[in-house]
Amino acid sequence: SEFETILVDRKGRVGIITLNRPKALNALNSQLMHEVVAAVEELDTDAEIGAILLTGSEKAFAAGADIKEMAPKTFSEVYGEDFFSEWDRLSAARTPIVAAVSGYALGGGCELAMLCDFIIASDTAKFGQPEIKLGVIPGIGGSQRLTRAVGKAKAMEMVLTGRNMDAEEAERAGLVSRIVPVAELFDAALETATTIASMSLPVAIMAKEAVNRAFETTLAEGVKFERRVFHSTFATADQKEGMAAFIEKRAPEFKNA
Ligand code: HXC
């Protein structure tokens, strides 16, 4: 494969990206960042792919940005290269991305999981933003996305103290969509991604865009945006197929058109 720090695989219409720096608990170095972004962009533009699954190992989704790589950097270097801005390209992906998180999702690891569209966690998952213990703050959106996900009280406490949340607390707080036993995590996440990939891709993209608009605009504007996009679904053949299939009591055969 063209990649060294990740594995890329396909199962049906699902593209699977596995973070693979086991000796460093999948710490996010520059190479891994380039590779994840390149793999997501490649899968995102592939018409045969209807969902992307991003996962790590049982012990660690990712233990954060690579501290050893980061430690010697100067202000003018990180500012000059706009360090970490490359991760923003993940939020431009249109194909739904599911994160399957087991073990540590700390710092940049938690932020990477939150860059995905939703998170399925194993019962061993641990989430945290411990950057403050290293004398820095979250740098890949953690202070913003964690706050939107779990509210100010928990986000502020976690960002200021660096304490972790276990899977139970993360689910209660709304950071993860659900928890599954660790041995079942991959299969459960793949099944979920496969379900998404079985829908009409253009309609799934519209649905994702509509939900994401909730974080970018007012309620009235968001509702209007949703309604316009809902109207647009009637321009697809898949709307006719989906509704015909219901009426004829059969499974729909979406054409992604
Ligand atoms: C580089 C890392 C790493 C990291 C672990 N390793 N996390 N290397 N960057 N973020 C390496 C260790 O140095 C070690 O390498 C190997 O992985 C195994 O880790 P251990 O610490 O021995 O494992 P364990 O005792 O099980 O502890 C697991 C852990 C701990 C609790 C997750 O590794 C840890 O606290 N990691 C750092 C977590 C963190 O602070 N993340 C936030 C990073 S800052 P060797 O070679 O010794 O075997 C961040 C910034 C985002 O993400 C943007 C703001 C700038």
PDB file of all heavy atoms in Angstrom, residues 23-25 27 59 63-68 70 84 104 106-108 111 130-131 134 136-140, ligand 1:
ATOM      1  N   LYS A  23       3.231   0.960  18.249  1.00  0.00           N
ATOM      2  CA  LYS A  23       4.259   1.226  19.275  1.00  0.00           C
ATOM      3  C   LYS A  23       4.091   2.594  19.910  1.00  0.00           C
ATOM      4  O   LYS A  23       4.572   2.827  21.015  1.00  0.00           O
ATOM      5  CB  LYS A  23       5.660   1.106  18.662  1.00  0.00           C
ATOM      6  CG  LYS A  23       6.017  -0.343  18.374  1.00  0.00           C
ATOM      7  CD  LYS A  23       7.482  -0.494  17.966  1.00  0.00           C
ATOM      8  CE  LYS A  23       7.748  -1.882  17.417  1.00  0.00           C
ATOM      9  NZ  LYS A  23       8.395  -1.836  16.095  1.00  0.00           N
ATOM     10  N   ALA A  24       3.434   3.509  19.226  1.00  0.00           N
ATOM     11  CA  ALA A  24       3.225   4.849  19.778  1.00  0.00           C
ATOM     12  C   ALA A  24       1.763   5.082  20.123  1.00  0.00           C
ATOM     13  O   ALA A  24       1.314   6.239  20.246  1.00  0.00           O
ATOM     14  CB  ALA A  24       3.716   5.900  18.792  1.00  0.00           C
ATOM     15  N   LEU A  25       1.003   3.995  20.310  1.00  0.00           N
ATOM     16  CA  LEU A  25      -0.430   4.099  20.620  1.00  0.00           C
ATOM     17  C   LEU A  25      -1.155   5.007  19.621  1.00  0.00           C
ATOM     18  O   LEU A  25      -2.034   5.783  19.978  1.00  0.00           O
ATOM     19  CB  LEU A  25      -0.642   4.597  22.062  1.00  0.00           C
ATOM     20  CG  LEU A  25      -0.031   3.732  23.171  1.00  0.00           C
ATOM     21  CD1 LEU A  25      -0.360   4.299  24.550  1.00  0.00           C
ATOM     22  CD2 LEU A  25      -0.498   2.285  23.080  1.00  0.00           C
ATOM     23  N   ALA A  27      -0.175   7.597  18.084  1.00  0.00           N
ATOM     24  CA  ALA A  27       0.048   9.051  18.179  1.00  0.00           C
ATOM     25  C   ALA A  27       0.064   9.636  16.766  1.00  0.00           C
ATOM     26  O   ALA A  27       0.577   9.040  15.819  1.00  0.00           O
ATOM     27  CB  ALA A  27       1.367   9.329  18.892  1.00  0.00           C
ATOM     28  N   LYS A  59      -6.263  -1.123  22.247  1.00  0.00           N
ATOM     29  CA  LYS A  59      -5.691  -0.337  23.345  1.00  0.00           C
ATOM     30  C   LYS A  59      -5.836   1.168  23.124  1.00  0.00           C
ATOM     31  O   LYS A  59      -5.971   1.941  24.079  1.00  0.00           O
ATOM     32  CB  LYS A  59      -4.205  -0.686  23.535  1.00  0.00           C
ATOM     33  CG  LYS A  59      -3.563   0.182  24.612  1.00  0.00           C
ATOM     34  CD  LYS A  59      -2.339  -0.378  25.268  1.00  0.00           C
ATOM     35  CE  LYS A  59      -1.966   0.564  26.422  1.00  0.00           C
ATOM     36  NZ  LYS A  59      -0.607   0.390  26.892  1.00  0.00           N
ATOM     37  N   ALA A  63      -3.537   8.120  21.058  1.00  0.00           N
ATOM     38  CA  ALA A  63      -3.154   8.748  22.333  1.00  0.00           C
ATOM     39  C   ALA A  63      -2.743  10.203  22.142  1.00  0.00           C
ATOM     40  O   ALA A  63      -2.013  10.749  22.968  1.00  0.00           O
ATOM     41  CB  ALA A  63      -2.056   7.954  23.007  1.00  0.00           C
ATOM     42  N   GLY A  64      -3.189  10.811  21.054  1.00  0.00           N
ATOM     43  CA  GLY A  64      -2.959  12.255  20.900  1.00  0.00           C
ATOM     44  C   GLY A  64      -1.981  12.578  19.807  1.00  0.00           C
ATOM     45  O   GLY A  64      -1.467  11.700  19.114  1.00  0.00           O
ATOM     46  N   ALA A  65      -1.752  13.868  19.647  1.00  0.00           N
ATOM     47  CA  ALA A  65      -0.713  14.331  18.728  1.00  0.00           C
ATOM     48  C   ALA A  65       0.615  13.752  19.206  1.00  0.00           C
ATOM     49  O   ALA A  65       0.784  13.454  20.395  1.00  0.00           O
ATOM     50  CB  ALA A  65      -0.665  15.848  18.724  1.00  0.00           C
ATOM     51  N   ASP A  66       1.552  13.574  18.282  1.00  0.00           N
ATOM     52  CA  ASP A  66       2.831  12.963  18.627  1.00  0.00           C
ATOM     53  C   ASP A  66       3.683  13.969  19.409  1.00  0.00           C
ATOM     54  O   ASP A  66       4.200  14.940  18.857  1.00  0.00           O
ATOM     55  CB  ASP A  66       3.564  12.498  17.372  1.00  0.00           C
ATOM     56  CG  ASP A  66       4.767  11.631  17.725  1.00  0.00           C
ATOM     57  OD1 ASP A  66       5.570  12.041  18.596  1.00  0.00           O
ATOM     58  OD2 ASP A  66       4.889  10.542  17.150  1.00  0.00           O
ATOM     59  N   ILE A  67       3.788  13.708  20.717  1.00  0.00           N
ATOM     60  CA  ILE A  67       4.445  14.669  21.615  1.00  0.00           C
ATOM     61  C   ILE A  67       5.932  14.780  21.285  1.00  0.00           C
ATOM     62  O   ILE A  67       6.520  15.871  21.350  1.00  0.00           O
ATOM     63  CB  ILE A  67       4.230  14.260  23.090  1.00  0.00           C
ATOM     64  CG1 ILE A  67       2.720  14.248  23.419  1.00  0.00           C
ATOM     65  CG2 ILE A  67       4.965  15.208  24.037  1.00  0.00           C
ATOM     66  CD1 ILE A  67       2.369  13.554  24.735  1.00  0.00           C
ATOM     67  N   LYS A  68       6.532  13.637  20.888  1.00  0.00           N
ATOM     68  CA  LYS A  68       7.972  13.667  20.588  1.00  0.00           C
ATOM     69  C   LYS A  68       8.262  14.508  19.349  1.00  0.00           C
ATOM     70  O   LYS A  68       9.272  15.215  19.292  1.00  0.00           O
ATOM     71  CB  LYS A  68       8.502  12.240  20.416  1.00  0.00           C
ATOM     72  CG  LYS A  68       8.485  11.448  21.733  1.00  0.00           C
ATOM     73  CD  LYS A  68       8.631   9.935  21.521  1.00  0.00           C
ATOM     74  CE  LYS A  68       8.293   9.176  22.803  1.00  0.00           C
ATOM     75  NZ  LYS A  68       8.159   7.732  22.579  1.00  0.00           N
ATOM     76  N   MET A  70       6.332  16.974  18.317  1.00  0.00           N
ATOM     77  CA  MET A  70       5.864  18.336  18.562  1.00  0.00           C
ATOM     78  C   MET A  70       6.785  19.123  19.497  1.00  0.00           C
ATOM     79  O   MET A  70       6.920  20.348  19.370  1.00  0.00           O
ATOM     80  CB  MET A  70       4.480  18.216  19.240  1.00  0.00           C
ATOM     81  CG  MET A  70       3.496  19.267  18.955  1.00  0.00           C
ATOM     82  SD  MET A  70       1.794  18.777  19.454  1.00  0.00           S
ATOM     83  CE  MET A  70       1.956  17.601  20.791  1.00  0.00           C
ATOM     84  N   PHE A  84      -1.411  21.671  12.173  1.00  0.00           N
ATOM     85  CA  PHE A  84      -2.670  20.942  12.415  1.00  0.00           C
ATOM     86  C   PHE A  84      -3.830  21.394  11.542  1.00  0.00           C
ATOM     87  O   PHE A  84      -4.888  20.771  11.569  1.00  0.00           O
ATOM     88  CB  PHE A  84      -3.128  21.005  13.888  1.00  0.00           C
ATOM     89  CG  PHE A  84      -2.341  20.144  14.821  1.00  0.00           C
ATOM     90  CD1 PHE A  84      -2.154  20.512  16.140  1.00  0.00           C
ATOM     91  CD2 PHE A  84      -1.791  18.947  14.381  1.00  0.00           C
ATOM     92  CE1 PHE A  84      -1.442  19.705  17.010  1.00  0.00           C
ATOM     93  CE2 PHE A  84      -1.079  18.134  15.249  1.00  0.00           C
ATOM     94  CZ  PHE A  84      -0.903  18.520  16.568  1.00  0.00           C
ATOM     95  N   TYR A 104      -7.690   4.424  24.441  1.00  0.00           N
ATOM     96  CA  TYR A 104      -7.422   5.860  24.593  1.00  0.00           C
ATOM     97  C   TYR A 104      -7.821   6.680  23.368  1.00  0.00           C
ATOM     98  O   TYR A 104      -7.416   6.387  22.244  1.00  0.00           O
ATOM     99  CB  TYR A 104      -5.940   6.087  24.846  1.00  0.00           C
ATOM    100  CG  TYR A 104      -5.453   5.471  26.135  1.00  0.00           C
ATOM    101  CD1 TYR A 104      -4.609   4.367  26.129  1.00  0.00           C
ATOM    102  CD2 TYR A 104      -5.859   6.000  27.368  1.00  0.00           C
ATOM    103  CE1 TYR A 104      -4.178   3.790  27.325  1.00  0.00           C
ATOM    104  CE2 TYR A 104      -5.429   5.430  28.563  1.00  0.00           C
ATOM    105  CZ  TYR A 104      -4.597   4.329  28.536  1.00  0.00           C
ATOM    106  OH  TYR A 104      -4.178   3.765  29.707  1.00  0.00           O
ATOM    107  N   LEU A 106      -7.274  10.421  23.320  1.00  0.00           N
ATOM    108  CA  LEU A 106      -6.829  11.554  24.142  1.00  0.00           C
ATOM    109  C   LEU A 106      -6.295  12.674  23.255  1.00  0.00           C
ATOM    110  O   LEU A 106      -5.673  12.405  22.223  1.00  0.00           O
ATOM    111  CB  LEU A 106      -5.722  11.105  25.099  1.00  0.00           C
ATOM    112  CG  LEU A 106      -6.074   9.954  26.042  1.00  0.00           C
ATOM    113  CD1 LEU A 106      -4.879   9.626  26.945  1.00  0.00           C
ATOM    114  CD2 LEU A 106      -7.300  10.288  26.878  1.00  0.00           C
ATOM    115  N   GLY A 107      -6.502  13.900  23.697  1.00  0.00           N
ATOM    116  CA  GLY A 107      -5.945  15.038  22.971  1.00  0.00           C
ATOM    117  C   GLY A 107      -6.387  14.998  21.517  1.00  0.00           C
ATOM    118  O   GLY A 107      -7.580  14.908  21.217  1.00  0.00           O
ATOM    119  N   GLY A 108      -5.386  15.025  20.612  1.00  0.00           N
ATOM    120  CA  GLY A 108      -5.696  14.959  19.188  1.00  0.00           C
ATOM    121  C   GLY A 108      -6.481  13.710  18.812  1.00  0.00           C
ATOM    122  O   GLY A 108      -7.213  13.709  17.819  1.00  0.00           O
ATOM    123  N   GLU A 111      -9.972  14.578  19.486  1.00  0.00           N
ATOM    124  CA  GLU A 111     -10.363  15.571  18.468  1.00  0.00           C
ATOM    125  C   GLU A 111     -10.591  14.912  17.114  1.00  0.00           C
ATOM    126  O   GLU A 111     -11.522  15.270  16.386  1.00  0.00           O
ATOM    127  CB  GLU A 111      -9.292  16.656  18.395  1.00  0.00           C
ATOM    128  CG  GLU A 111      -9.219  17.455  19.687  1.00  0.00           C
ATOM    129  CD  GLU A 111      -8.025  18.405  19.751  1.00  0.00           C
ATOM    130  OE1 GLU A 111      -6.877  17.907  19.672  1.00  0.00           O
ATOM    131  OE2 GLU A 111      -8.246  19.622  19.865  1.00  0.00           O
ATOM    132  N   PRO A 130      -6.051  16.141  27.517  1.00  0.00           N
ATOM    133  CA  PRO A 130      -5.042  16.374  28.564  1.00  0.00           C
ATOM    134  C   PRO A 130      -3.959  17.380  28.183  1.00  0.00           C
ATOM    135  O   PRO A 130      -2.948  17.485  28.889  1.00  0.00           O
ATOM    136  CB  PRO A 130      -4.435  14.976  28.745  1.00  0.00           C
ATOM    137  CG  PRO A 130      -4.526  14.353  27.393  1.00  0.00           C
ATOM    138  CD  PRO A 130      -5.783  14.904  26.766  1.00  0.00           C
ATOM    139  N   GLU A 131      -4.170  18.131  27.101  1.00  0.00           N
ATOM    140  CA  GLU A 131      -3.113  19.028  26.619  1.00  0.00           C
ATOM    141  C   GLU A 131      -2.562  19.952  27.697  1.00  0.00           C
ATOM    142  O   GLU A 131      -1.373  20.262  27.725  1.00  0.00           O
ATOM    143  CB  GLU A 131      -3.637  19.896  25.456  1.00  0.00           C
ATOM    144  CG  GLU A 131      -3.833  19.153  24.151  1.00  0.00           C
ATOM    145  CD  GLU A 131      -5.200  18.511  23.982  1.00  0.00           C
ATOM    146  OE1 GLU A 131      -5.953  18.400  24.983  1.00  0.00           O
ATOM    147  OE2 GLU A 131      -5.512  18.117  22.845  1.00  0.00           O
ATOM    148  N   LEU A 134       0.520  19.244  29.400  1.00  0.00           N
ATOM    149  CA  LEU A 134       1.754  19.393  28.626  1.00  0.00           C
ATOM    150  C   LEU A 134       2.089  20.860  28.400  1.00  0.00           C
ATOM    151  O   LEU A 134       3.009  21.199  27.649  1.00  0.00           O
ATOM    152  CB  LEU A 134       1.595  18.715  27.259  1.00  0.00           C
ATOM    153  CG  LEU A 134       1.271  17.223  27.252  1.00  0.00           C
ATOM    154  CD1 LEU A 134       0.823  16.787  25.866  1.00  0.00           C
ATOM    155  CD2 LEU A 134       2.479  16.416  27.703  1.00  0.00           C
ATOM    156  N   VAL A 136       0.049  23.023  26.858  1.00  0.00           N
ATOM    157  CA  VAL A 136      -0.614  23.543  25.655  1.00  0.00           C
ATOM    158  C   VAL A 136      -2.127  23.399  25.824  1.00  0.00           C
ATOM    159  O   VAL A 136      -2.604  23.009  26.896  1.00  0.00           O
ATOM    160  CB  VAL A 136      -0.134  22.821  24.354  1.00  0.00           C
ATOM    161  CG1 VAL A 136       1.312  23.149  24.047  1.00  0.00           C
ATOM    162  CG2 VAL A 136      -0.345  21.308  24.443  1.00  0.00           C
ATOM    163  N   ILE A 137      -2.867  23.742  24.805  1.00  0.00           N
ATOM    164  CA  ILE A 137      -4.323  23.581  24.838  1.00  0.00           C
ATOM    165  C   ILE A 137      -4.721  22.758  23.609  1.00  0.00           C
ATOM    166  O   ILE A 137      -3.895  22.542  22.716  1.00  0.00           O
ATOM    167  CB  ILE A 137      -5.069  24.945  24.864  1.00  0.00           C
ATOM    168  CG1 ILE A 137      -4.986  25.672  23.509  1.00  0.00           C
ATOM    169  CG2 ILE A 137      -4.524  25.841  25.989  1.00  0.00           C
ATOM    170  CD1 ILE A 137      -5.941  26.862  23.392  1.00  0.00           C
ATOM    171  N   PRO A 138      -5.962  22.291  23.543  1.00  0.00           N
ATOM    172  CA  PRO A 138      -6.382  21.539  22.354  1.00  0.00           C
ATOM    173  C   PRO A 138      -6.129  22.364  21.090  1.00  0.00           C
ATOM    174  O   PRO A 138      -6.274  23.583  21.107  1.00  0.00           O
ATOM    175  CB  PRO A 138      -7.892  21.330  22.577  1.00  0.00           C
ATOM    176  CG  PRO A 138      -8.042  21.359  24.069  1.00  0.00           C
ATOM    177  CD  PRO A 138      -7.057  22.390  24.537  1.00  0.00           C
ATOM    178  N   GLY A 139      -5.722  21.680  20.011  1.00  0.00           N
ATOM    179  CA  GLY A 139      -5.357  22.403  18.796  1.00  0.00           C
ATOM    180  C   GLY A 139      -6.003  21.870  17.530  1.00  0.00           C
ATOM    181  O   GLY A 139      -5.722  22.338  16.436  1.00  0.00           O
ATOM    182  N   ILE A 140      -6.868  20.849  17.671  1.00  0.00           N
ATOM    183  CA  ILE A 140      -7.551  20.309  16.495  1.00  0.00           C
ATOM    184  C   ILE A 140      -9.064  20.380  16.742  1.00  0.00           C
ATOM    185  O   ILE A 140      -9.821  19.461  16.413  1.00  0.00           O
ATOM    186  CB  ILE A 140      -7.085  18.860  16.180  1.00  0.00           C
ATOM    187  CG1 ILE A 140      -5.547  18.734  16.287  1.00  0.00           C
ATOM    188  CG2 ILE A 140      -7.526  18.426  14.783  1.00  0.00           C
ATOM    189  CD1 ILE A 140      -5.011  17.298  16.164  1.00  0.00           C
TER     190      ILE A 140
HETATM  191  C1  HXC B   1       4.085  10.329  21.301  1.00  0.00           C
HETATM  192  C2  HXC B   1       3.294   8.620  22.600  1.00  0.00           C
HETATM  193  C3  HXC B   1       2.098   9.332  22.848  1.00  0.00           C
HETATM  194  C4  HXC B   1       1.954  10.612  22.241  1.00  0.00           C
HETATM  195  C5  HXC B   1       1.988   7.454  23.884  1.00  0.00           C
HETATM  196  N1  HXC B   1       3.176   7.469  23.274  1.00  0.00           N
HETATM  197  N2  HXC B   1       1.311   8.580  23.646  1.00  0.00           N
HETATM  198  N3  HXC B   1       4.272   9.121  21.845  1.00  0.00           N
HETATM  199  N4  HXC B   1       2.978  11.066  21.491  1.00  0.00           N
HETATM  200  N5  HXC B   1       0.840  11.348  22.392  1.00  0.00           N
HETATM  201  C6  HXC B   1       4.218   6.439  23.281  1.00  0.00           C
HETATM  202  C7  HXC B   1       4.947   6.399  24.607  1.00  0.00           C
HETATM  203  O1  HXC B   1       5.943   7.389  24.641  1.00  0.00           O
HETATM  204  C8  HXC B   1       5.510   5.009  24.589  1.00  0.00           C
HETATM  205  O2  HXC B   1       6.648   4.985  23.751  1.00  0.00           O
HETATM  206  C9  HXC B   1       4.416   4.200  23.902  1.00  0.00           C
HETATM  207  O3  HXC B   1       3.627   5.149  23.155  1.00  0.00           O
HETATM  208  C10 HXC B   1       3.488   3.505  24.862  1.00  0.00           C
HETATM  209  O4  HXC B   1       2.983   4.462  25.774  1.00  0.00           O
HETATM  210  P1  HXC B   1       3.065   4.285  27.367  1.00  0.00           P
HETATM  211  O5  HXC B   1       2.953   5.627  27.955  1.00  0.00           O
HETATM  212  O6  HXC B   1       4.229   3.444  27.736  1.00  0.00           O
HETATM  213  O7  HXC B   1       1.735   3.434  27.612  1.00  0.00           O
HETATM  214  P2  HXC B   1       0.836   3.392  28.936  1.00  0.00           P
HETATM  215  O8  HXC B   1       1.726   3.347  30.142  1.00  0.00           O
HETATM  216  O9  HXC B   1      -0.128   2.295  28.702  1.00  0.00           O
HETATM  217  O10 HXC B   1       0.062   4.782  28.968  1.00  0.00           O
HETATM  218  C11 HXC B   1      -0.890   5.127  27.983  1.00  0.00           C
HETATM  219  C12 HXC B   1      -1.229   6.660  28.044  1.00  0.00           C
HETATM  220  C13 HXC B   1       0.088   7.456  27.944  1.00  0.00           C
HETATM  221  C14 HXC B   1      -1.941   6.974  29.342  1.00  0.00           C
HETATM  222  C15 HXC B   1      -2.166   6.951  26.852  1.00  0.00           C
HETATM  223  O11 HXC B   1       0.841   6.973  26.821  1.00  0.00           O
HETATM  224  C16 HXC B   1      -0.102   8.924  27.759  1.00  0.00           C
HETATM  225  O12 HXC B   1      -0.462   9.630  28.695  1.00  0.00           O
HETATM  226  N6  HXC B   1       0.096   9.427  26.531  1.00  0.00           N
HETATM  227  C17 HXC B   1       0.040  10.830  26.233  1.00  0.00           C
HETATM  228  C18 HXC B   1      -1.416  11.267  26.211  1.00  0.00           C
HETATM  229  C19 HXC B   1      -1.523  12.768  25.875  1.00  0.00           C
HETATM  230  O13 HXC B   1      -1.039  13.610  26.624  1.00  0.00           O
HETATM  231  N7  HXC B   1      -2.113  13.066  24.736  1.00  0.00           N
HETATM  232  C20 HXC B   1      -2.299  14.419  24.323  1.00  0.00           C
HETATM  233  C21 HXC B   1      -1.147  14.782  23.438  1.00  0.00           C
HETATM  234  S1  HXC B   1      -1.201  16.514  23.074  1.00  0.00           S
HETATM  235  P3  HXC B   1       8.040   4.305  24.234  1.00  0.00           P
HETATM  236  O14 HXC B   1       8.959   4.604  23.100  1.00  0.00           O
HETATM  237  O15 HXC B   1       8.379   4.921  25.525  1.00  0.00           O
HETATM  238  O16 HXC B   1       7.675   2.843  24.351  1.00  0.00           O
HETATM  239  C22 HXC B   1      -2.239  16.664  21.825  1.00  0.00           C
HETATM  240  C23 HXC B   1      -2.254  18.044  21.295  1.00  0.00           C
HETATM  241  C24 HXC B   1      -3.331  18.328  20.315  1.00  0.00           C
HETATM  242  O17 HXC B   1      -2.864  15.775  21.344  1.00  0.00           O
HETATM  243  C25 HXC B   1      -3.194  19.720  19.788  1.00  0.00           C
HETATM  244  C26 HXC B   1      -2.640  20.738  20.713  1.00  0.00           C
HETATM  245  C27 HXC B   1      -1.272  21.189  20.436  1.00  0.00           C
END
